[in-house]
Amino acid sequence: MAQMKRTVIVASAMVALTACAPAGYDGANSSAAEPVAVAAAEPTATVEPEASASAEAPAADAPPADVDLTEKLVGKSVARMGKVVIDQDGWILYRFDKDTADPPSSNCVDKCAEVWPPALTDGNPQLTGVSDDKVGSVTRQDGTRQLTVGGWPVYRYIGDKKPGQWKGQAVGGTWFVVQPDGKKNLSCLPKGTPKAVAPPADSGSNDAGGSGYSY
């Protein structure tokens, strides 16, 4: 495992233990893709770092030039949700129950990966707020390397329209916000089982549950 740069930031953030619905949530305007109690999470207060890790991808294996990389992982505590991991742009990351952590393996490919873009790495992300033994990488079917947290491959969700949202929480009963230790964040669950948004229109399918896309 290649050693990554590590920055440890000690932070404290109070987690709201009251209503689970994010600030500004309007149930009357929510779509089927939004959890009943977990729509657009739009924190009104600045969140503070908590704990993050490093990846095991060899830096020598450079990814294709057109691949968007996750350059930073940051562990934070945010109001209502609690402990989360975000990327350099503030997008909350998720883990998938149909993946495996020991050994790490990603089972989200094709249309699934269009809805849940994997957090890809060049083997040298900046890490803030998690133990460096919690982050690694796994080689995907297309040869790219995906970051793992606690062994679990991590992803973004295209249903999140702004950094800090967590509309992907409990989608399909298999997708959950990932904590800095790789465990599921179960502190803010929606009522019922939300459905994922459809893959992008240019993917050739408007059916998120179609062939090649598995929750």
Side-chain angles (χ1 to χ4, degrees):
M1 178 184 296
Q3 197 65 27
M4 309 294 164
K5 293 183 290 184
R6 177 177 57 172
T7 302
V8 177
I9 296 179
V10 178
S12 60
M14 294 301 294
V15 178
L17 300 178
T18 55
C20 193
Y25 172 59
D26 180 359
N29 295 322
S30 61
S31 69
E34 297 178 348
V36 173
V38 185
E42 298 178 1
T44 57
T46 301
V47 291
E48 296 297 332
E50 201 167 280
S52 189
S54 82
E56 62 186 25
D61 295 338
D66 59 347
V67 170
D68 290 331
L69 298 179
T70 297
E71 299 173 350
K72 182 186 294 185
L73 293 181
V74 180
K76 290 179 177 285
S77 284
V78 299
R80 301 179 182 87
M81 178 57 72
K83 296 179 180 180
V84 303
V85 177
I86 64 172
D87 67 10
Q88 68 275 5
D89 298 315
W91 296 102
I92 286 179
L93 301 179
Y94 300 84
R95 48 168 278 182
F96 184 33
D97 279 357
K98 292 187 179 181
D99 288 344
T100 60
D102 187 17
S105 177
S106 171
N107 291 307
C108 179
V109 297
D110 301 325
K111 293 185 181 70
C112 176
E114 294 176 9
V115 176
W116 303 91
L120 301 178
T121 182
D122 61 359
N124 193 32
Q126 181 179 347
L127 306 165
T128 301
V130 198
S131 173
D132 63 357
D133 62 355
K134 292 296 182 182
V135 175
S137 71
V138 62
T139 301
R140 293 177 56 78
Q141 293 180 12
D142 61 3
T144 58
R145 289 189 176 272
Q146 182 175 2
L147 288 168
T148 62
V149 178
W152 292 95
V154 292
Y155 308 79
R156 275 188 50 204
Y157 176 49
I158 66 170
D160 290 336
K161 300 306 180 183
K162 296 179 181 179
Q165 294 183 341
W166 59 75
K167 293 183 180 182
Q169 177 73 328
V171 162
T174 56
W175 291 92
F176 296 91
V177 170
V178 68
Q179 297 187 142
D181 60 2
K183 294 181 180 179
K184 300 178 193 178
N185 184 324
L186 301 176
S187 63
C188 190
L189 295 173
K191 296 176 182 177
T193 303
K195 182 179 179 180
V197 298
D202 60 4
S203 70
S205 171
N206 290 320
D207 178 10
S211 175
Y213 180 29
S214 172
Y215 291 110

